[in-house]
Amino acid sequence: MVFTFDDLPLVFSCPRHWQADPAVDMIMQTWRMRERMKTVSVALVICLNVGVDPPDVTKTQPCARQECWVDPLSLNPQRALETIGGNLQRQYERWQPRARYRQSLDPTVEEVRRLATGLRRSAREERVLFHYNGHGVPRPTANGEIWVFNRSYTQYIPLSIYDLQSWMGSPSIYVYDCNNAGIIVDSFKNFAEQHEREYVEQVRAGGPQAGAAELPPPPSLRNCIQLAACSKDQLLPMNPDLPADLFTACLTTPIKVALRWFVMKNDLGHLAPQVKLEHLEKIPGQFGDRRTMLGELNWIFTAITDTIAWNTLPRDTFQKLFRQDLLVASLFRNFL
């Protein structure tokens, strides 16, 4: 017996499936952004001054020590600082390998200025990331200042967020891993509004002097993203079983932190009796290869965090944070 396509039953063949219903208004949702943006430059500013604790924070004993999964006291100070800087860069490169990375280790104000202005100049209209680790300096000030060093490391020197905004421009993304990081977030908003007021006043006053270049627009707060480790009245965690830069670790090595937290919370062995903290360093595979254990864990993690974001954020916010920029999307998945 021979069958033809005419003998097979048809589906969706009722008249209602063939006739257009003018009362139905189809609303199409776009999943991909038409306007793409890339984070092309990353400034890694690390202020540790290894071996010298800042004077305004009393640490517990024992306390968290690891920075980028390295114990700085296990190496000489300069070697420890360079190793931590290299590890941090590699952790970011896992999420955006094509960006231009520049490290600034225990810098002065002038070194930060040159770094920020140079990266903004080369990035043009693309996004620049500024990562600040302030574990070796005092807390941010109420006047909106973070701290760096003088050339001989004998003094802490304040660096105004107002100046940093001018150097970084926009679009930019900032990561603050320090105590009382919420102070920086509040100051950033106030200074951004101050920049806009000053720009309007200059325009009303007649703009630049005759023959001078056109006034550059002020940094737009709407095009700047901030990620802070804690609020303005909080200190960083000091649990010795966790890294001192826990916020950075969550943003750049989320699988490692999640597994470590899971094992620590289930140390009685009810769910994973044979898994210990030392075993977490031996998980085989590559993050980008789903055929491996580590790659599959990363794939599951991405699916879960994207689903949470899609179901909780407004659509335009989701598109901006999770579909526009590869590095920003990775950081916000890890931030969740």
Side-chain angles (χ1 to χ4, degrees):
M1 182 179 293
V2 178
F3 287 95
T4 65
F5 285 107
D6 294 333
D7 299 319
L8 298 176
L10 296 179
V11 294
F12 297 105
S13 59
C14 297
R16 63 186 177 89
H17 295 131
W18 292 92
Q19 297 174 0
D21 187 352
V24 177
D25 185 14
M26 297 295 293
I27 301 176
M28 301 297 294
Q29 291 187 357
T30 57
W31 284 77
R32 297 188 179 275
M33 293 285 291
R34 292 183 178 180
E35 296 181 3
R36 306 287 291 184
M37 184 177 293
K38 292 188 297 183
T39 300
V40 297
S41 300
V42 178
L44 304 177
V45 178
I46 302 176
C47 299
L48 289 180
N49 196 15
V50 176
V52 180
D53 290 333
D56 61 344
V57 176
T58 302
K59 294 185 176 181
T60 62
Q61 293 298 332
C63 68
R65 287 293 181 186
Q66 286 188 324
E67 302 278 353
C68 295
W69 304 104
V70 173
D71 184 354
L73 300 183
S74 64
L75 303 169
N76 70 69
Q78 185 59 34
R79 178 60 177 166
L81 186 62
E82 294 172 354
T83 302
I84 292 167
N87 282 5
L88 180 59
Q89 179 171 330
R90 283 188 290 274
Q91 288 172 195
Y92 268 107
E93 286 175 339
R94 181 179 300 157
W95 308 108
Q96 177 52 287
R98 298 183 179 180
R100 179 186 300 105
Y101 291 88
R102 295 291 183 271
Q103 300 177 29
S104 188
L105 309 178
D106 285 353
T108 63
V109 172
E110 179 59 23
E111 289 170 348
V112 175
R113 185 193 69 80
R114 289 200 304 266
L115 174 66
T117 54
L119 291 181
R120 170 49 60 195
R121 190 183 308 114
S122 61
R124 299 185 180 181
E125 302 301 321
E126 300 287 359
R127 182 176 280 121
V128 178
L129 185 148
F130 182 89
H131 179 103
Y132 176 71
N133 178 322
H135 296 176
V137 292
R139 314 178 203 186
T141 69
N143 295 326
E145 298 164 323
I146 57 177
W147 297 92
V148 290
F149 301 97
N150 64 353
R151 292 192 177 276
S152 58
Y153 302 106
T154 57
Q155 290 181 324
Y156 301 111
I157 306 297
L159 167 60
S160 174
I161 298 299
Y162 178 90
D163 293 333
L164 183 61
Q165 284 180 338
S166 301
W167 304 335
M168 286 287 293
S170 63
S172 300
I173 178 171
Y174 299 81
V175 177
Y176 312 125
D177 192 340
C178 60
N179 292 302
N180 307 101
I183 294 177
I184 309 176
V185 176
D186 294 341
S187 300
F188 188 97
K189 179 180 179 180
N190 295 333
F191 286 141
E193 294 172 351
Q194 180 180 342
H195 274 293
E196 293 176 357
R197 289 194 301 268
E198 292 173 351
Y199 177 76
V200 171
E201 291 173 0
Q202 286 181 312
V203 171
R204 289 176 178 173
Q209 300 295 326
E214 183 181 355
L215 281 174
S220 173
L221 180 63
R222 289 184 297 273
N223 290 329
C224 294
I225 301 171
Q226 301 179 83
L227 298 174
C230 56
S231 67
K232 61 183 179 182
D233 56 354
Q234 290 181 326
L235 298 179
L236 297 176
M238 299 184 189
N239 187 332
D241 293 327
L242 296 172
D245 61 341
L246 180 61
F247 184 62
T248 297
C250 289
L251 291 180
T252 57
T253 57
I255 303 298
K256 189 171 184 177
V257 175
L259 292 174
R260 191 176 189 87
W261 179 259
F262 174 81
V263 173
M264 289 172 58
K265 297 294 287 185
N266 294 278
D267 56 356
L268 296 179
H270 298 309
L271 298 178
Q274 304 301 324
V275 178
K276 304 299 180 184
L277 288 177
E278 56 269 19
H279 298 156
L280 301 181
E281 305 294 335
K282 303 175 183 179
I283 298 177
Q286 300 293 328
F287 277 94
D289 188 354
R290 193 183 175 187
R291 296 170 299 179
T292 65
M293 182 181 297
L294 200 56
E296 180 68 13
L297 286 172
N298 186 56
W299 188 276
I300 295 170
F301 174 83
T302 300
I304 293 173
T305 50
D306 266 19
T307 302
I308 294 173
W310 174 256
N311 284 282
T312 55
L313 296 176
R315 292 294 178 262
D316 56 343
T317 303
F318 175 85
Q319 297 280 10
K320 180 179 180 180
L321 298 180
F322 287 83
R323 291 295 180 264
Q324 189 184 59
D325 184 318
L326 179 63
L327 183 55
V328 170
S330 298
L331 290 178
F332 269 88
R333 288 190 192 101
N334 305 344
F335 186 78
L336 287 178

